[in-house]
Amino acid sequence: MGAALMVLGIGAQDIIFTPAAAAEPHRASPHRTAPRNHVQAPRRAQAQNPPAASRRHQAQRGRASYYGPKFNGRRMANGSRFNPNSNVAAHRTLPLGTRARVTNLENGRSAEVRVEDRGPHVRGRVIDLTPRTAKQLGMREQGTAPVEVRPIEVPETDQRVAER
């Protein structure tokens, strides 16, 4: 035991034995399995999180921004190429393929988008839009705007392109 303690960098002077600790009986770890001849009571069913299909995605409020020109033609999270004249959007948590209504809270304008990418990667933003959608919402000049994102149709799983 002394050699093992030396490997760990612990010397005999670092170990303190107390009479209470020495008198205490050894207790088995609660994480050990029971002996084979021991019959365990059946485990209680634990509440599990509902599957993604049954989870309800609620409306979310925050700031929206739009993709810059350097993203034109780049691949999105679903494998397709970004088109600035489409109605795609980037969202952090909504499943890919989700249709959502984005409403500009400053002027009431709204547009329907399809989540096909992940982002935005800027703190405080909830969605990235295409320049075309930003123009429809009247936020192209400002660059960002307060919006509400309300999912319309949420697929059970991410809709990804099988092959790139």
Side-chain angles (χ1 to χ4, degrees):
M1 180 161 164
L5 293 175
M6 292 307 288
V7 170
L8 295 173
I10 301 173
Q13 69 276 7
D14 297 327
I15 301 173
I16 301 172
F17 289 103
T18 60
E24 196 172 301
H26 175 72
R27 293 188 182 137
S29 170
H31 301 292
R32 290 187 181 173
T33 58
R36 290 179 189 237
N37 60 354
H38 182 268
V39 179
Q40 286 184 330
R43 291 185 179 187
R44 253 201 243 159
Q46 295 179 354
Q48 296 179 355
N49 290 335
S54 66
R55 250 187 267 141
R56 302 205 15 103
H57 293 281
Q58 297 179 354
Q60 183 180 19
R61 288 182 176 217
R63 292 201 74 78
S65 55
Y66 65 93
Y67 287 91
K70 72 178 185 178
F71 294 100
N72 295 354
R74 287 194 184 176
R75 291 219 185 259
M76 296 184 291
N78 70 349
S80 63
R81 296 205 178 266
F82 175 71
N83 177 358
N85 294 315
S86 66
N87 70 334
V88 300
H91 195 276
R92 286 188 193 98
T93 58
L94 288 174
L96 298 179
T98 298
R99 284 185 24 229
R101 171 136 329 260
V102 180
T103 304
N104 184 334
L105 298 175
E106 289 180 338
N107 59 22
R109 292 181 180 181
S110 66
E112 188 176 307
V113 298
R114 183 172 298 276
V115 175
E116 301 289 348
D117 201 5
R118 291 292 172 220
H121 301 290
V122 177
R123 183 176 288 191
R125 310 262 172 92
V126 294
I127 195 164
D128 270 340
L129 307 167
T130 61
R132 175 180 161 221
T133 306
K135 187 175 181 179
Q136 286 176 343
L137 295 177
M139 58 173 271
R140 183 86 190 264
E141 298 300 318
Q142 296 170 264
T144 65
V147 296
E148 179 182 75
V149 180
R150 184 172 297 277
I152 299 170
E153 181 183 325
V154 180
E156 290 184 20
T157 60
D158 279 351
Q159 304 295 312
R160 294 181 184 258
V161 175
E163 291 185 25
R164 293 184 185 224

